């Protein structure tokens, strides 16, 4: 059953990346130009519903703790979870949430995604603060819920973040060119070291 869970998460993340790929979007928009207005919104909806479906399956699996919880682990897990959530919320404040969710595309079409490169706020500390928040929060969640299904989820999600960052970097280099290359030279990718 855990093997099926791994396959489900891997398939979810593959579909998630495939549907976000610029080449697939270009093919869809070439065939159906009006799809540009609704693609991001539909992509987000599909992502949420598929995520919830896999999470539901995961909830059906036996979930015995892998280790005995301690006060120290609970405090560390809770602290990391809160820190991850705070990082994610602060990171999202640096983005155009209308564009992120897809509503700006519904109203403005393909020009909605033509904003400037954002390098302020948390983006001045790391290039992918949202992904950093996700990694920190996931670590906290797994410490608070040390079961095999949650460890599988956390591991698959962390692996996807590593891959997703690389895919995002390619897209951003293509979109912003030398401006993004210069930003890459100045600001670390995920960890502010």
């Amino acid at each position: 059953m855990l093997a099926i869970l791994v396959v489900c998460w891997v398939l979810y993340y593959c579909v998630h990346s495939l549907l976000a790929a610029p080449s697939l979007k270009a093919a869809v928009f070439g065939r159906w130009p009006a799809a540009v207005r609704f693609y991001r919104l539909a992509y987000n909806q599909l992502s949420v519903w598929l995520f919830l479906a896999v999470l539901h399956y995961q909830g059906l699996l036996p979930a015995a703790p892998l280790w005995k919880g301690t006060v120290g682990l609970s405090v560390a897990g809770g602290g990391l979870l809160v820190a991850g959530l705070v990082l994610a919320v602060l990171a999202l404040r640096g983005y155009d949430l209308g564009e992120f969710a897809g509503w700006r595309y519904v109203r403005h079409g393909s020009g909605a995604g033509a904003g400037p490169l954002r390098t302020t706020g948390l983006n001045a500390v790391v290039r992918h603060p949202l992904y950093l928040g996700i990694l920190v929060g996931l670590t906290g969640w797994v410490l608070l819920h040390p079961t095999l299904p949650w460890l599988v989820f956390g591991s698959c999600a962390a692996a996807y973040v590593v891959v997703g960052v690389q895919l995002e970097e390619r897209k951003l280099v293509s979109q912003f060119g030398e401006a993004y290359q210069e930003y890459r030279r100045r600001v670390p990718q995920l960890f502010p070291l």
Side-chain angles (χ1 to χ4, degrees):
M1 287 192 156
L2 281 173
I4 293 171
L5 180 62
V6 170
V7 168
C8 286
W9 282 123
V10 168
L11 284 174
Y12 169 78
Y13 289 121
C14 286
V15 167
H16 188 75
S17 288
L18 176 67
L19 293 175
S23 56
L24 179 69
K25 290 194 282 188
V28 169
F29 301 158
R31 184 164 179 125
W32 300 289
V36 110
R37 290 188 177 278
F38 301 100
Y39 192 89
R40 180 72 185 220
L41 195 60
Y43 166 80
N44 286 335
Q45 286 293 309
L46 182 63
S47 293
V48 167
W49 287 110
L50 288 177
F51 182 86
L52 291 174
V54 178
L55 206 56
H56 175 72
Y57 173 72
Q58 179 176 310
L60 299 176
L61 299 178
L66 295 172
W67 58 78
K68 187 176 189 241
T70 64
V71 172
L73 281 176
S74 293
V75 169
L80 288 169
L81 180 60
V82 168
L85 289 171
V86 167
L87 278 170
V89 167
L90 290 174
L92 285 171
R93 290 185 70 196
Y95 299 110
D96 179 338
L97 295 182
E99 177 189 341
F100 190 81
W103 291 109
R104 184 172 299 279
Y105 291 95
V106 171
R107 289 192 290 274
H108 303 290
S110 61
L117 176 61
R118 293 177 181 90
T119 60
T120 58
L122 287 182
N123 287 324
V125 180
V126 292
R127 296 193 308 269
H128 302 282
L130 183 57
Y131 287 136
L132 175 60
I134 289 169
L135 287 175
V136 171
L138 276 173
T139 303
W141 184 263
V142 170
L143 287 175
L144 289 171
H145 302 279
T147 66
L148 208 45
W150 281 116
L151 187 61
V152 165
F153 166 72
S155 299
C156 289
Y160 178 71
V161 164
V162 171
V163 171
V165 163
Q166 302 311 313
L167 296 172
E168 187 76 12
E169 290 272 312
R170 276 192 226 156
K171 183 185 89 162
L172 292 167
V173 166
S174 172
Q175 183 177 357
F176 295 108
E178 184 54 37
Y180 194 78
Q181 295 285 19
E182 193 277 323
Y183 174 58
R184 277 171 50 154
R185 288 189 284 274
R186 286 185 299 109
V187 178
Q189 187 177 61
L190 263 177
F191 301 101
L193 302 174

